[in-house]
Amino acid sequence: MPPALNLRARAHAKINLGLKILRRRRDGFHELRTVFQTIALADRVELDFQPGGRAAVALEVAGEAPAGEDNLAYRAARLAADAYRLRGRLAIRLTKRIPQRAGLGGGSSDAAAVLRMAAHLAGRAATPRRQLELAAELGSDVAPFLLGGTVLGLGRGEEVYGLPDLPPWRVVLAMPRDGAGVATPEAFRAWDRSHPGLTAAGEFATIMEFCSLLEQVLPAFRAPHSGRNRGRLVRPTVHAGIENDFQAGVFSLSPDFPRIHRQLRQGQAAWVSLTGSGAAQFGLFARAEPALRTAARLQRRYQVWSSRFVGRSEFHRGLTVETK
Ligand code: C5P
């Protein structure tokens, strides 16, 4: 029998550098264009695999997350055990740090970490295509966490393309305290109400959008770190196509949202946006000092996290495997 294994991973959070909603599709989902970026803030996922006997999954959670079937990491383990015919006991321990209903993809990232671990256990059966299929079955934004780094998301978010790493921006995240989370389905319903005509099956030139993103939008995020701009505070000048279409709806929920936005801007963030459907907003900073100052100021009233971009290779170093 193969040895028992202990696998550990950092399940990084993501922010959306932009999120464009094109239309409501016939299947009820929405056609999106977005750029996911993984950041240092992470949950910790641990998996003990005891080979032999029937497949069984157990989940233990430290921190705030749903239990059992309601937990996406648990569902990921069940799905992968089934798909790869893993025989044995999978015991998962989650240590939560990523807040829920924040738009940071915590549940999806935990699930993707479990899929990456299961792929390690399954070996060749876990082709990249199979992993992406399982990710898409679990949720719309699980797939970007199989790639990590900067990732273009199309379709309902599950069609993913790895983009070159961006410079190491510092990230200040903030959201209102207590009960401020936003539920994604509700945010999409609110978008539907304000865009009643947008359900047609339009044609989208994906490859043209992809090229324009690479050529126009991503260089804007490189600017403060390159050439003579290094260290200076330069605001990205290209905004088209990279705003977050949930922003207007979420800002109408509470005056705290526009207040947080203003404070991040006043703190001289080079870019400020909502992530996903909220409730967290982020500011990007080229330098440590204004980032720390802005975080300290926001902390008086709001929940705040200081983080930074995590590129693809660092993301994948976050998974370790040991024989027990
Ligand atoms: O796929 P996931 O389970 O993450 O999606 C949760 C809900 O968010 C869906 O049931 C749907 O209402 C909404 N959604 C959507 N369009 C997307 C992604 C999610 O309408 N692209």
Side-chain angles (χ1 to χ4, degrees), residues 11 23 27 40 42 75 88 92 97 100 103 124 133 147 150 164-165 172 191 200 217 225 238 287 301 318:
R23 65 183 169 95
D27 62 6
R75 293 218 293 276
I92 305 166
R97 296 202 185 95
Q100 298 189 81
R124 276 193 310 201
E133 281 168 1
L147 301 182
T150 308
D165 281 348
V172 175
W191 186 89
V217 180
H225 295 267
V238 182
R287 294 186 301 129
R301 276 186 76 167

Side-chain angles (χ1 to χ4, degrees), residues 40-55:
L41 175 66
D43 291 340
R44 192 175 170 72
V45 183
E46 206 169 333
L47 188 152
D48 282 322
F49 180 58
Q50 186 68 52
R54 283 160 47 128

